[in-house]
Amino acid sequence: MSRVRAAFFGSKLRALATIGVLLLVTLGGAVAGGLLGVPSVVGLENTFGEVTEDSTAVETELVVSNPNPIGVDTDDVSVSYALAMNDVDMARGERRGVTVGTGNSTVPLTTDLDNGAIPAWWVSHVDAGERTTVAVDATVSSDRLGREGELTHEHGIETDVIGEFNSTETRPVNANQPLIDDPVLYVNETTGEWGDVSESETPIETAFVVYNPNDEPYVITELGYEITMNDVDVGSGATHDTHVIGGGETETLEATTAIDATRLDEWWVTHLDDGVHGHQVSELRIEFYAVVELPTGEAVTVPLEELTHEDTLETDVFDEGLGTDRTPSDGDSSESDDGSSDGGDASDDDSAADDGNDTADGSENETDEGDTDDEDDTDDVESDDDDTDDEDDDDGISIPLLWAGGAGHS
């Protein structure tokens, strides 16, 4: 009886082995004949996870389509991805041993974004005119099949940090000192543009057209600034050039402000914090002050509150359709009767008035009252709504922001 059972089971095992070999041969022939298709990436979804001082978790879900009638669960199948921003290689990663069922399967990935890489991206963003092209390549490959399926997607990010700094609104400068009639000066125009960026800073070249409505000259010996993003100090400094502004005269003051790129990893943490100003939303603020030498010889530090520049910086890194329909704040909406945009040509008759608040009749001293460049209305972050050709991804592909140095893991 034992011989019968051994012969029976032995023949059964041999039969199963034979069937297995036949299946492998059949699969091999199907592969060689092109009857089996290679799995491909048909969609990506990404969200930011836990954020610390040093890193940001990026949660990614890859949608992999397997056109074959059987699933795959071997070390042979791998998923790789590469991210570039402004043609800068930001990250590459790979996960092997991916389980792929029939049809569509979701493959989760978690990647640690190195916050220390944020400054390099910011510099490239400013250097490109506040534009970033986010490009991602995702690939599923099989050594056994000898083929791979690849998906490439791009979308753009645009900001306009300093566009609204350009203004022809007249704003008073008050010394708030006893026995001194305010305003002591008027700022009739402000302009700003990005300077030559470097790896460590992104400078902003600013200019102020200042008019003195008084008979006495005023001397400005220092013009300083402080820049914050979500209350994080990202730049400060001062210029010590001396400017003498005679009575009834106009002078252009120039100052170079700069955002310290090395501080932006700290800012990034607040940028992703929903509890600050919202997810991927930041408030940029530039405050100015001047050291003014009064006719009495006394030097006073005057906060230039009317010149404070505020702007909202919004990003949508993953092309998620975040709220970017904000209306830009109109820094030039208020009217002014206290100075002229042409330097105060009609100010001689009233410049010595006791209260010092009016420099001319309203009919003779018109300002532009908020006529800034209309192009600022489009400074909101723009995301590309292009649909991909993949039928499984109706809403376009969310882009994984995976920085150099981050390692993917399940």
Side-chain angles (χ1 to χ4, degrees):
M1 180 63 72
S2 60
R3 292 180 179 179
V4 173
R5 281 198 295 267
F8 175 77
F9 286 111
S11 60
K12 184 175 182 180
L13 290 175
R14 284 193 295 271
L16 291 175
T18 301
I19 292 173
V21 171
L22 289 175
L23 285 175
L24 290 176
V25 171
T26 301
L27 289 175
V31 171
L35 300 179
L36 288 181
V38 65
S40 61
V41 179
V42 297
L44 297 168
E45 290 188 0
N46 306 272
T47 58
F48 284 114
E50 182 182 3
V51 182
T52 68
E53 293 182 359
D54 301 319
S55 64
T56 302
V58 178
E59 308 292 344
T60 304
E61 290 189 348
L62 299 174
V63 180
V64 179
S65 176
N66 179 13
N68 305 303
I70 58 173
V72 180
D73 185 11
T74 68
D75 291 336
D76 177 62
V77 178
S78 63
V79 175
S80 62
Y81 54 83
L83 176 74
M85 300 181 73
N86 290 341
D87 294 326
V88 177
D89 187 9
M90 302 301 295
R92 292 183 181 275
E94 183 179 27
R95 177 180 172 185
R96 302 194 64 87
V98 176
T99 299
V100 180
T102 59
N104 288 349
S105 301
T106 299
V107 179
L109 296 172
T110 299
T111 303
D112 289 332
L113 182 156
D114 180 9
N115 294 347
I118 298 299
W121 161 73
W122 172 260
V123 171
S124 74
H125 179 72
V126 172
D127 194 35
E130 294 194 56
R131 290 177 174 84
T132 293
T133 298
V134 182
V136 64
D137 292 312
T139 304
V140 175
S141 61
S142 170
D143 295 335
R144 186 168 300 161
L145 294 177
R147 283 174 286 169
E148 63 182 26
E150 184 177 9
L151 176 67
T152 300
H153 179 77
E154 292 186 354
H155 83 279
I157 297 175
E158 285 191 39
T159 60
D160 189 2
V161 170
I162 61 174
E164 294 179 25
F165 189 82
N166 299 310
S167 172
T168 55
E169 177 192 359
T170 294
R171 285 161 282 186
V173 176
N174 298 318
N176 296 317
Q177 296 292 316
L179 305 179
I180 298 296
D181 291 331
D182 284 329
V184 294
L185 300 168
Y186 288 114
V187 175
N188 291 325
E189 183 178 354
T190 58
T191 58
E193 62 181 6
W194 291 109
D196 295 329
V197 304
S198 68
E199 294 181 357
S200 59
E201 65 178 17
T202 52
I204 304 172
E205 306 291 347
T206 63
F208 307 87
V209 177
V210 181
Y211 170 69
N212 179 5
N214 304 287
D215 293 331
E216 305 87 356
Y218 280 83
V219 180
I220 296 179
T221 60
E222 181 179 332
L223 184 62
Y225 70 93
E226 180 178 343
I227 306 176
T228 58
M229 297 172 71
N230 285 352
D231 295 326
V232 176
D233 183 7
V234 295
S236 60
T239 177
H240 297 279
D241 297 332
T242 298
H243 297 270
V244 180
I245 308 174
E249 295 183 356
T250 298
E251 183 81 13
T252 298
L253 281 59
E254 297 181 347
T256 299
T257 65
I259 294 177
D260 183 356
T262 64
R263 300 297 309 277
L264 294 180
D265 53 344
E266 181 180 349
W267 155 75
W268 175 257
V269 176
T270 69
H271 186 63
L272 300 184
D273 191 341
D274 292 348
V276 179
H277 292 291
H279 184 59
Q280 298 192 55
V281 179
S282 293
E283 294 297 326
L284 178 140
R285 182 180 177 90
I286 307 178
E287 297 179 334
F288 295 92
Y289 72 87
V291 177
V292 180
E293 186 176 303
L294 303 176
T296 60
E298 180 185 3
V300 295
T301 299
V302 180
L304 304 178
E305 297 177 355
E306 295 293 334
L307 299 185
T308 297
H309 172 67
E310 295 180 322
D311 200 3
T312 300
L313 173 66
E314 295 182 324
T315 60
D316 188 0
V317 174
F318 295 148
D319 202 13
E320 298 173 281
L322 301 179
T324 57
D325 297 329
R326 69 180 182 87
T327 300
S329 58
D330 190 352
D332 302 330
S333 60
S334 61
E335 298 183 357
S336 171
D337 295 327
D338 296 331
S340 69
S341 59
D342 60 1
D345 291 342
S347 64
D348 294 340
D349 55 343
D350 288 331
S351 61
D354 291 342
D355 58 9
N357 291 326
D358 296 325
T359 62
D361 296 334
S363 61
E364 297 180 13
N365 197 33
E366 296 179 355
T367 69
D368 290 342
E369 294 178 355
D371 293 333
T372 59
D373 295 337
D374 293 336
E375 65 187 18
D376 292 338
D377 294 336
T378 61
D379 64 356
D380 298 331
V381 178
E382 297 176 5
S383 59
D384 193 351
D385 294 329
D386 294 342
D387 293 333
T388 66
D389 295 334
D390 301 290
E391 65 186 39
D392 298 294
D393 186 15
D394 296 334
D395 298 325
I397 299 169
S398 299
I399 302 304
L401 180 61
L402 308 173
W403 299 93
H409 54 275
S410 60

